[in-house]
Amino acid sequence: MPDVLLKVSHLKKYFPIRAGLLQKTVGYVKAVDDVNLEINRGETFGLVGESGCGKSTTGRSILRLIEPTSGEIQFDGRDIHSLSGAQMRGMYRDMQLVFQDPYASLNPRKTIEKLIEEPMIIHNMYTPGERKKKVHELLELVGLNAYHASRYPHEFSGGQRQRIGIARALGLQPKLVICDEPVSALDVSIQSQVLNLLKQLQQQLHLTYMFIAHDLSVVKHISDRVGVMYLGRIVELSDKKSLYEKPLHPYTQALLSAVPVANPNAKHERIILEGDVPSPANPPTGCTFHPRCSACMDICRTERPVLRDIGDGHMVACHLYNQ
Ligand code: SF4
């Protein structure tokens, strides 16, 4: 039996649309609309989709940095959706976020030592002497040096700043780290260094990751299982091998066709997605992917497909697999 660390059930996050002088609610942007997923202890779960599909909102709603509209979040056997603000702050020792833009997330007026020790101070961990030692250990753990502690964020490159962001997140010895597009802002050559570092830290510190990205090639490198999101919902979820070798959902097939292949002689047909992602404030009826889907059938325009296991834990929400 898998050891489930995080279980998310029917998670929804609707943002109200207000209009008029009285700012009345006239509708909702359904950024996350009934997401269900489980992450096992020690694994990396990749969450992928185009920008605006709700993947970052899902990550932040799980951490309750954005308050979910409804749903259940079980973390390490506890229902964290019902925790008070103070109780939730205590949970942040175990659940940390690594941001996409490390520069924006690091206060430029603080030294690296102050930035890394700050979460430990908030959580009342260690004496000042122990914290200093810990900061130096963390810097070395992420491939920097103890002498970097007295420097400021602007003195570092993008890749180094992301290493500092990771060190800051790891200071509390979390169980789960939600990595929100942690390499999207970095050069491709630096991306693989940071991904390798995350993998190495996972093994060393027995971490569990949720890895959010818009690029299926980035997620492939690091994930054990992958969920593909479209307009606030997971449309396909499976182990990595099955998803990359036999993608079922037409949206996943299109995303994968855009991933460059190493062998230029390999047969590789790019599927061009027509049109833009529709607005989550006014999603299409039935399958929300139907206006862009080349396999669209009549039923797709009226009935929303349910995410179903079609064998070996490979789940897909598409009428093509209803037989
Ligand atoms: Fe395409 Fe229909 Fe499947 Fe949606 S349900 S992805 S429209 S075939």
Side-chain angles (χ1 to χ4, degrees), residues 302-320:
T302 51
E303 264 186 50
R304 176 170 265 186
V306 200
L307 189 68
R308 293 188 316 122
D309 188 342
I310 61 140
D312 296 328
H314 195 141
M315 303 182 85
V316 65
C318 174
H319 292 304
L320 288 173

Side-chain angles (χ1 to χ4, degrees), residues 249-250 287 289-290 293 295-297 300 305 317-320:
H249 198 284
C287 169
F289 186 60
H290 87 252
C293 181
C296 178
M297 305 170 285
C300 306
C318 174
H319 292 304
L320 288 173

Side-chain angles (χ1 to χ4, degrees), residues 19 40 47 79 148 181 215 217-218 275 277 279 298-299 307 311 322:
N40 301 322
L47 194 59
D79 172 13
H148 286 129
E181 305 235 21
D215 185 338
S217 59
V218 169
V277 181
S279 164
D298 284 346
I299 187 176
L307 189 68
N322 273 358

Side-chain angles (χ1 to χ4, degrees), residues 224-226 237-244 312-314:
D224 299 297
R225 288 187 306 128
V226 179
L237 194 160
S238 137
D239 65 81
K240 173 170 74 178
K241 191 169 184 296
S242 182
L243 189 108
Y244 284 82
D312 296 328
H314 195 141

